[in-house]
PDB file of all heavy atoms in Angstrom:
ATOM      1  N   SER D 257       1.436   5.245  -1.859  1.00  0.00           N
ATOM      2  CA  SER D 257       0.876   3.948  -1.644  1.00  0.00           C
ATOM      3  C   SER D 257      -0.138   3.935  -0.590  1.00  0.00           C
ATOM      4  O   SER D 257      -1.287   3.348  -0.710  1.00  0.00           O
ATOM      5  CB  SER D 257       2.058   2.820  -1.160  1.00  0.00           C
ATOM      6  OG  SER D 257       2.863   2.743  -2.226  1.00  0.00           O
ATOM      7  N   PRO D 258       0.008   4.507   0.652  1.00  0.00           N
ATOM      8  CA  PRO D 258      -0.959   4.445   1.733  1.00  0.00           C
ATOM      9  C   PRO D 258      -2.235   5.360   1.266  1.00  0.00           C
ATOM     10  O   PRO D 258      -3.357   4.992   1.685  1.00  0.00           O
ATOM     11  CB  PRO D 258      -0.300   5.068   2.947  1.00  0.00           C
ATOM     12  CG  PRO D 258       1.074   5.459   2.576  1.00  0.00           C
ATOM     13  CD  PRO D 258       1.321   5.047   1.183  1.00  0.00           C
ATOM     14  N   VAL D 259      -2.004   6.305   0.493  1.00  0.00           N
ATOM     15  CA  VAL D 259      -3.067   7.156   0.052  1.00  0.00           C
ATOM     16  C   VAL D 259      -4.017   6.341  -0.981  1.00  0.00           C
ATOM     17  O   VAL D 259      -5.219   6.442  -0.799  1.00  0.00           O
ATOM     18  CB  VAL D 259      -2.528   8.472  -0.649  1.00  0.00           C
ATOM     19  CG1 VAL D 259      -3.728   9.324  -1.295  1.00  0.00           C
ATOM     20  CG2 VAL D 259      -1.746   9.341   0.242  1.00  0.00           C
ATOM     21  N   ILE D 260      -3.366   5.575  -1.779  1.00  0.00           N
ATOM     22  CA  ILE D 260      -4.133   4.802  -2.662  1.00  0.00           C
ATOM     23  C   ILE D 260      -4.908   3.744  -1.927  1.00  0.00           C
ATOM     24  O   ILE D 260      -6.054   3.451  -2.165  1.00  0.00           O
ATOM     25  CB  ILE D 260      -3.132   3.997  -3.742  1.00  0.00           C
ATOM     26  CG1 ILE D 260      -2.582   5.093  -4.628  1.00  0.00           C
ATOM     27  CG2 ILE D 260      -3.857   3.038  -4.525  1.00  0.00           C
ATOM     28  CD1 ILE D 260      -3.251   5.583  -5.792  1.00  0.00           C
ATOM     29  N   VAL D 261      -4.186   3.059  -0.901  1.00  0.00           N
ATOM     30  CA  VAL D 261      -4.905   2.045  -0.113  1.00  0.00           C
ATOM     31  C   VAL D 261      -6.054   2.682   0.623  1.00  0.00           C
ATOM     32  O   VAL D 261      -7.158   2.140   0.645  1.00  0.00           O
ATOM     33  CB  VAL D 261      -3.902   1.386   0.834  1.00  0.00           C
ATOM     34  CG1 VAL D 261      -4.588   0.614   1.880  1.00  0.00           C
ATOM     35  CG2 VAL D 261      -2.933   0.501   0.164  1.00  0.00           C
ATOM     36  N   LEU D 262      -5.910   3.937   1.188  1.00  0.00           N
ATOM     37  CA  LEU D 262      -6.927   4.526   1.949  1.00  0.00           C
ATOM     38  C   LEU D 262      -8.164   4.913   1.056  1.00  0.00           C
ATOM     39  O   LEU D 262      -9.192   4.613   1.385  1.00  0.00           O
ATOM     40  CB  LEU D 262      -6.304   5.715   2.558  1.00  0.00           C
ATOM     41  CG  LEU D 262      -7.305   6.704   3.352  1.00  0.00           C
ATOM     42  CD1 LEU D 262      -7.839   6.076   4.574  1.00  0.00           C
ATOM     43  CD2 LEU D 262      -6.669   8.037   3.611  1.00  0.00           C
ATOM     44  N   LEU D 263      -7.818   5.613  -0.066  1.00  0.00           N
ATOM     45  CA  LEU D 263      -8.911   6.096  -0.882  1.00  0.00           C
ATOM     46  C   LEU D 263      -9.542   5.221  -1.827  1.00  0.00           C
ATOM     47  O   LEU D 263     -10.616   5.542  -2.342  1.00  0.00           O
ATOM     48  CB  LEU D 263      -8.299   7.408  -1.535  1.00  0.00           C
ATOM     49  CG  LEU D 263      -7.916   8.486  -0.668  1.00  0.00           C
ATOM     50  CD1 LEU D 263      -7.327   9.697  -1.598  1.00  0.00           C
ATOM     51  CD2 LEU D 263      -9.043   9.011   0.230  1.00  0.00           C
ATOM     52  N   SER D 264      -8.921   4.108  -2.231  1.00  0.00           N
ATOM     53  CA  SER D 264      -9.488   3.238  -3.231  1.00  0.00           C
ATOM     54  C   SER D 264     -10.555   2.257  -2.634  1.00  0.00           C
ATOM     55  O   SER D 264     -11.220   1.537  -3.369  1.00  0.00           O
ATOM     56  CB  SER D 264      -8.489   2.503  -4.008  1.00  0.00           C
ATOM     57  OG  SER D 264      -7.785   1.640  -3.085  1.00  0.00           O
ATOM     58  N   GLY D 265     -10.604   2.216  -1.389  1.00  0.00           N
ATOM     59  CA  GLY D 265     -11.570   1.249  -0.782  1.00  0.00           C
ATOM     60  C   GLY D 265     -11.121  -0.153  -0.697  1.00  0.00           C
ATOM     61  O   GLY D 265     -11.835  -1.158  -0.732  1.00  0.00           O
ATOM     62  N   MET D 266      -9.747  -0.430  -0.536  1.00  0.00           N
ATOM     63  CA  MET D 266      -9.111  -1.671  -0.501  1.00  0.00           C
ATOM     64  C   MET D 266      -9.625  -2.443   0.780  1.00  0.00           C
ATOM     65  O   MET D 266      -9.796  -3.641   0.724  1.00  0.00           O
ATOM     66  CB  MET D 266      -7.702  -1.734  -0.611  1.00  0.00           C
ATOM     67  CG  MET D 266      -7.164  -1.491  -1.995  1.00  0.00           C
ATOM     68  SD  MET D 266      -5.383  -1.479  -1.999  1.00  0.00           S
ATOM     69  CE  MET D 266      -5.023  -0.779  -3.608  1.00  0.00           C
ATOM     70  N   MET D 267      -9.559  -1.767   1.891  1.00  0.00           N
ATOM     71  CA  MET D 267      -9.811  -2.338   3.139  1.00  0.00           C
ATOM     72  C   MET D 267     -11.099  -2.032   3.906  1.00  0.00           C
ATOM     73  O   MET D 267     -11.530  -2.699   4.789  1.00  0.00           O
ATOM     74  CB  MET D 267      -8.658  -1.953   4.131  1.00  0.00           C
ATOM     75  CG  MET D 267      -7.321  -2.343   3.656  1.00  0.00           C
ATOM     76  SD  MET D 267      -7.165  -4.067   3.297  1.00  0.00           S
ATOM     77  CE  MET D 267      -6.043  -4.180   1.965  1.00  0.00           C
ATOM     78  N   PHE D 268     -11.746  -1.022   3.436  1.00  0.00           N
ATOM     79  CA  PHE D 268     -13.017  -0.627   4.000  1.00  0.00           C
ATOM     80  C   PHE D 268     -13.785   0.135   2.946  1.00  0.00           C
ATOM     81  O   PHE D 268     -13.247   0.566   1.905  1.00  0.00           O
ATOM     82  CB  PHE D 268     -12.888   0.201   5.238  1.00  0.00           C
ATOM     83  CG  PHE D 268     -12.012   1.427   4.997  1.00  0.00           C
ATOM     84  CD1 PHE D 268     -12.744   2.658   4.631  1.00  0.00           C
ATOM     85  CD2 PHE D 268     -10.712   1.533   5.281  1.00  0.00           C
ATOM     86  CE1 PHE D 268     -11.977   3.806   4.399  1.00  0.00           C
ATOM     87  CE2 PHE D 268      -9.988   2.645   5.019  1.00  0.00           C
ATOM     88  CZ  PHE D 268     -10.676   3.886   4.564  1.00  0.00           C
ATOM     89  N   PRO D 269     -15.158   0.145   3.080  1.00  0.00           N
ATOM     90  CA  PRO D 269     -15.956   0.826   2.028  1.00  0.00           C
ATOM     91  C   PRO D 269     -15.648   2.304   1.717  1.00  0.00           C
ATOM     92  O   PRO D 269     -15.503   3.010   2.688  1.00  0.00           O
ATOM     93  CB  PRO D 269     -17.421   0.621   2.670  1.00  0.00           C
ATOM     94  CG  PRO D 269     -17.357  -0.198   3.871  1.00  0.00           C
ATOM     95  CD  PRO D 269     -15.858  -0.272   4.318  1.00  0.00           C
ATOM     96  N   VAL D 270     -15.571   2.700   0.543  1.00  0.00           N
ATOM     97  CA  VAL D 270     -15.378   4.063   0.167  1.00  0.00           C
ATOM     98  C   VAL D 270     -16.516   4.957   0.801  1.00  0.00           C
ATOM     99  O   VAL D 270     -16.395   6.115   1.077  1.00  0.00           O
ATOM    100  CB  VAL D 270     -15.369   4.177  -1.399  1.00  0.00           C
ATOM    101  CG1 VAL D 270     -15.352   5.557  -1.821  1.00  0.00           C
ATOM    102  CG2 VAL D 270     -14.131   3.474  -1.934  1.00  0.00           C
ATOM    103  N   GLN D 271     -17.767   4.307   0.949  1.00  0.00           N
ATOM    104  CA  GLN D 271     -18.865   4.953   1.500  1.00  0.00           C
ATOM    105  C   GLN D 271     -18.532   5.436   2.935  1.00  0.00           C
ATOM    106  O   GLN D 271     -19.290   6.306   3.400  1.00  0.00           O
ATOM    107  CB  GLN D 271     -20.105   4.192   1.412  1.00  0.00           C
ATOM    108  CG  GLN D 271     -20.639   3.813   0.025  1.00  0.00           C
ATOM    109  CD  GLN D 271     -19.868   2.512  -0.497  1.00  0.00           C
ATOM    110  OE1 GLN D 271     -18.822   2.144  -0.012  1.00  0.00           O
ATOM    111  NE2 GLN D 271     -20.576   2.033  -1.528  1.00  0.00           N
ATOM    112  N   ALA D 272     -17.592   4.832   3.525  1.00  0.00           N
ATOM    113  CA  ALA D 272     -17.331   5.212   5.002  1.00  0.00           C
ATOM    114  C   ALA D 272     -16.328   6.401   5.005  1.00  0.00           C
ATOM    115  O   ALA D 272     -16.218   6.962   6.124  1.00  0.00           O
ATOM    116  CB  ALA D 272     -16.694   4.004   5.710  1.00  0.00           C
ATOM    117  N   LEU D 273     -15.768   6.836   3.821  1.00  0.00           N
ATOM    118  CA  LEU D 273     -14.928   7.953   3.856  1.00  0.00           C
ATOM    119  C   LEU D 273     -15.780   9.259   4.113  1.00  0.00           C
ATOM    120  O   LEU D 273     -16.959   9.309   3.727  1.00  0.00           O
ATOM    121  CB  LEU D 273     -14.244   8.115   2.527  1.00  0.00           C
ATOM    122  CG  LEU D 273     -13.172   7.169   2.142  1.00  0.00           C
ATOM    123  CD1 LEU D 273     -12.736   7.212   0.718  1.00  0.00           C
ATOM    124  CD2 LEU D 273     -11.898   7.414   2.986  1.00  0.00           C
ATOM    125  N   PRO D 274     -15.184  10.308   4.671  1.00  0.00           N
ATOM    126  CA  PRO D 274     -15.888  11.628   4.718  1.00  0.00           C
ATOM    127  C   PRO D 274     -16.362  12.054   3.248  1.00  0.00           C
ATOM    128  O   PRO D 274     -15.707  11.672   2.253  1.00  0.00           O
ATOM    129  CB  PRO D 274     -14.773  12.506   5.282  1.00  0.00           C
ATOM    130  CG  PRO D 274     -13.932  11.632   6.017  1.00  0.00           C
ATOM    131  CD  PRO D 274     -13.872  10.331   5.184  1.00  0.00           C
ATOM    132  N   ALA D 275     -17.455  12.726   3.142  1.00  0.00           N
ATOM    133  CA  ALA D 275     -18.040  13.070   1.810  1.00  0.00           C
ATOM    134  C   ALA D 275     -17.014  13.868   1.061  1.00  0.00           C
ATOM    135  O   ALA D 275     -17.014  13.686  -0.244  1.00  0.00           O
ATOM    136  CB  ALA D 275     -19.246  13.889   2.112  1.00  0.00           C
ATOM    137  N   TRP D 276     -16.123  14.731   1.641  1.00  0.00           N
ATOM    138  CA  TRP D 276     -15.301  15.458   0.782  1.00  0.00           C
ATOM    139  C   TRP D 276     -14.028  14.642   0.196  1.00  0.00           C
ATOM    140  O   TRP D 276     -13.429  15.045  -0.759  1.00  0.00           O
ATOM    141  CB  TRP D 276     -14.566  16.618   1.615  1.00  0.00           C
ATOM    142  CG  TRP D 276     -13.853  16.177   2.752  1.00  0.00           C
ATOM    143  CD1 TRP D 276     -14.322  15.931   4.045  1.00  0.00           C
ATOM    144  CD2 TRP D 276     -12.393  15.862   2.863  1.00  0.00           C
ATOM    145  NE1 TRP D 276     -13.249  15.532   4.861  1.00  0.00           N
ATOM    146  CE2 TRP D 276     -12.061  15.641   4.132  1.00  0.00           C
ATOM    147  CE3 TRP D 276     -11.414  16.125   1.921  1.00  0.00           C
ATOM    148  CZ2 TRP D 276     -10.684  15.352   4.487  1.00  0.00           C
ATOM    149  CZ3 TRP D 276     -10.145  15.899   2.252  1.00  0.00           C
ATOM    150  CH2 TRP D 276      -9.815  15.450   3.577  1.00  0.00           C
ATOM    151  N   LEU D 277     -13.782  13.421   0.711  1.00  0.00           N
ATOM    152  CA  LEU D 277     -12.783  12.495   0.169  1.00  0.00           C
ATOM    153  C   LEU D 277     -13.351  11.609  -0.931  1.00  0.00           C
ATOM    154  O   LEU D 277     -12.665  11.024  -1.814  1.00  0.00           O
ATOM    155  CB  LEU D 277     -12.200  11.640   1.144  1.00  0.00           C
ATOM    156  CG  LEU D 277     -11.085  12.389   1.982  1.00  0.00           C
ATOM    157  CD1 LEU D 277     -10.653  11.392   3.182  1.00  0.00           C
ATOM    158  CD2 LEU D 277      -9.957  12.683   1.189  1.00  0.00           C
ATOM    159  N   GLN D 278     -14.662  11.388  -1.020  1.00  0.00           N
ATOM    160  CA  GLN D 278     -15.183  10.453  -1.881  1.00  0.00           C
ATOM    161  C   GLN D 278     -15.011  10.789  -3.363  1.00  0.00           C
ATOM    162  O   GLN D 278     -14.721   9.968  -4.159  1.00  0.00           O
ATOM    163  CB  GLN D 278     -16.766  10.159  -1.602  1.00  0.00           C
ATOM    164  CG  GLN D 278     -16.878   9.443  -0.272  1.00  0.00           C
ATOM    165  CD  GLN D 278     -18.308   9.171   0.050  1.00  0.00           C
ATOM    166  OE1 GLN D 278     -19.255   9.090  -0.764  1.00  0.00           O
ATOM    167  NE2 GLN D 278     -18.569   8.773   1.309  1.00  0.00           N
ATOM    168  N   PRO D 279     -15.093  12.058  -3.731  1.00  0.00           N
ATOM    169  CA  PRO D 279     -14.828  12.381  -5.139  1.00  0.00           C
ATOM    170  C   PRO D 279     -13.359  12.141  -5.521  1.00  0.00           C
ATOM    171  O   PRO D 279     -13.096  11.700  -6.673  1.00  0.00           O
ATOM    172  CB  PRO D 279     -15.073  13.978  -5.226  1.00  0.00           C
ATOM    173  CG  PRO D 279     -16.068  14.148  -4.254  1.00  0.00           C
ATOM    174  CD  PRO D 279     -15.676  13.247  -3.050  1.00  0.00           C
ATOM    175  N   ILE D 280     -12.451  12.363  -4.581  1.00  0.00           N
ATOM    176  CA  ILE D 280     -11.060  12.016  -4.845  1.00  0.00           C
ATOM    177  C   ILE D 280     -10.866  10.508  -5.037  1.00  0.00           C
ATOM    178  O   ILE D 280     -10.196  10.040  -5.932  1.00  0.00           O
ATOM    179  CB  ILE D 280     -10.064  12.449  -3.707  1.00  0.00           C
ATOM    180  CG1 ILE D 280     -10.172  14.055  -3.659  1.00  0.00           C
ATOM    181  CG2 ILE D 280      -8.706  12.118  -3.860  1.00  0.00           C
ATOM    182  CD1 ILE D 280      -9.612  14.621  -2.377  1.00  0.00           C
ATOM    183  N   SER D 281     -11.561   9.703  -4.198  1.00  0.00           N
ATOM    184  CA  SER D 281     -11.599   8.299  -4.345  1.00  0.00           C
ATOM    185  C   SER D 281     -12.032   7.834  -5.775  1.00  0.00           C
ATOM    186  O   SER D 281     -11.521   6.891  -6.343  1.00  0.00           O
ATOM    187  CB  SER D 281     -12.476   7.638  -3.207  1.00  0.00           C
ATOM    188  OG  SER D 281     -12.617   6.340  -3.438  1.00  0.00           O
ATOM    189  N   ALA D 282     -13.121   8.530  -6.135  1.00  0.00           N
ATOM    190  CA  ALA D 282     -13.799   8.145  -7.522  1.00  0.00           C
ATOM    191  C   ALA D 282     -12.751   8.327  -8.653  1.00  0.00           C
ATOM    192  O   ALA D 282     -12.957   7.937  -9.812  1.00  0.00           O
ATOM    193  CB  ALA D 282     -15.014   8.915  -7.847  1.00  0.00           C
ATOM    194  N   ALA D 283     -11.651   9.265  -8.475  1.00  0.00           N
ATOM    195  CA  ALA D 283     -10.649   9.508  -9.550  1.00  0.00           C
ATOM    196  C   ALA D 283      -9.682   8.401  -9.604  1.00  0.00           C
ATOM    197  O   ALA D 283      -8.864   8.441 -10.558  1.00  0.00           O
ATOM    198  CB  ALA D 283     -10.040  10.825  -9.287  1.00  0.00           C
ATOM    199  N   ILE D 284      -9.625   7.459  -8.652  1.00  0.00           N
ATOM    200  CA  ILE D 284      -8.633   6.494  -8.666  1.00  0.00           C
ATOM    201  C   ILE D 284      -9.119   5.246  -9.460  1.00  0.00           C
ATOM    202  O   ILE D 284     -10.194   4.662  -9.027  1.00  0.00           O
ATOM    203  CB  ILE D 284      -8.192   6.141  -7.139  1.00  0.00           C
ATOM    204  CG1 ILE D 284      -7.746   7.277  -6.518  1.00  0.00           C
ATOM    205  CG2 ILE D 284      -7.217   4.952  -7.146  1.00  0.00           C
ATOM    206  CD1 ILE D 284      -7.416   7.205  -5.000  1.00  0.00           C
ATOM    207  N   PRO D 285      -8.393   4.828 -10.504  1.00  0.00           N
ATOM    208  CA  PRO D 285      -8.919   3.582 -11.226  1.00  0.00           C
ATOM    209  C   PRO D 285      -9.182   2.367 -10.388  1.00  0.00           C
ATOM    210  O   PRO D 285     -10.110   1.631 -10.588  1.00  0.00           O
ATOM    211  CB  PRO D 285      -7.714   3.377 -12.250  1.00  0.00           C
ATOM    212  CG  PRO D 285      -7.027   4.653 -12.318  1.00  0.00           C
ATOM    213  CD  PRO D 285      -7.148   5.387 -11.040  1.00  0.00           C
ATOM    214  N   LEU D 286      -8.357   2.168  -9.364  1.00  0.00           N
ATOM    215  CA  LEU D 286      -8.499   1.004  -8.399  1.00  0.00           C
ATOM    216  C   LEU D 286      -9.884   0.908  -7.780  1.00  0.00           C
ATOM    217  O   LEU D 286     -10.431  -0.107  -7.598  1.00  0.00           O
ATOM    218  CB  LEU D 286      -7.425   0.841  -7.391  1.00  0.00           C
ATOM    219  CG  LEU D 286      -6.089   0.363  -7.885  1.00  0.00           C
ATOM    220  CD1 LEU D 286      -5.062   0.536  -6.795  1.00  0.00           C
ATOM    221  CD2 LEU D 286      -6.075  -1.028  -8.381  1.00  0.00           C
ATOM    222  N   THR D 287     -10.399   2.143  -7.433  1.00  0.00           N
ATOM    223  CA  THR D 287     -11.666   2.159  -6.895  1.00  0.00           C
ATOM    224  C   THR D 287     -12.753   1.561  -7.693  1.00  0.00           C
ATOM    225  O   THR D 287     -13.619   0.606  -7.252  1.00  0.00           O
ATOM    226  CB  THR D 287     -12.062   3.671  -6.622  1.00  0.00           C
ATOM    227  OG1 THR D 287     -11.113   4.272  -5.816  1.00  0.00           O
ATOM    228  CG2 THR D 287     -13.513   3.718  -5.831  1.00  0.00           C
ATOM    229  N   HIS D 288     -12.711   1.906  -9.046  1.00  0.00           N
ATOM    230  CA  HIS D 288     -13.645   1.262  -9.891  1.00  0.00           C
ATOM    231  C   HIS D 288     -13.475  -0.178 -10.221  1.00  0.00           C
ATOM    232  O   HIS D 288     -14.387  -1.068 -10.332  1.00  0.00           O
ATOM    233  CB  HIS D 288     -13.782   2.120 -11.158  1.00  0.00           C
ATOM    234  CG  HIS D 288     -14.072   3.602 -10.867  1.00  0.00           C
ATOM    235  ND1 HIS D 288     -15.331   3.995 -10.520  1.00  0.00           N
ATOM    236  CD2 HIS D 288     -13.274   4.586 -10.869  1.00  0.00           C
ATOM    237  CE1 HIS D 288     -15.333   5.290 -10.331  1.00  0.00           C
ATOM    238  NE2 HIS D 288     -14.044   5.720 -10.484  1.00  0.00           N
ATOM    239  N   GLY D 289     -12.121  -0.553 -10.404  1.00  0.00           N
ATOM    240  CA  GLY D 289     -11.819  -1.932 -10.541  1.00  0.00           C
ATOM    241  C   GLY D 289     -12.184  -2.848  -9.378  1.00  0.00           C
ATOM    242  O   GLY D 289     -12.727  -3.936  -9.574  1.00  0.00           O
TER     243      GLY D 289
END
């Protein structure tokens, strides 16, 4: 649960994640939703 919240961009922009985490974020359906 916290990983999904962190990586999907629920609370802050995915663009603020370090570059190496952004591809992992892109694999989560919630990010695109």
Side-chain angles (χ1 to χ4, degrees):
S257 294
V259 174
I260 296 278
V261 169
L262 172 72
L263 296 179
S264 67
M266 284 185 191
M267 301 303 150
F268 58 87
V270 171
Q271 297 87 340
L273 289 170
W276 63 273
L277 278 176
Q278 291 183 18
I280 298 169
S281 174
I284 299 172
L286 281 174
T287 304
H288 303 289

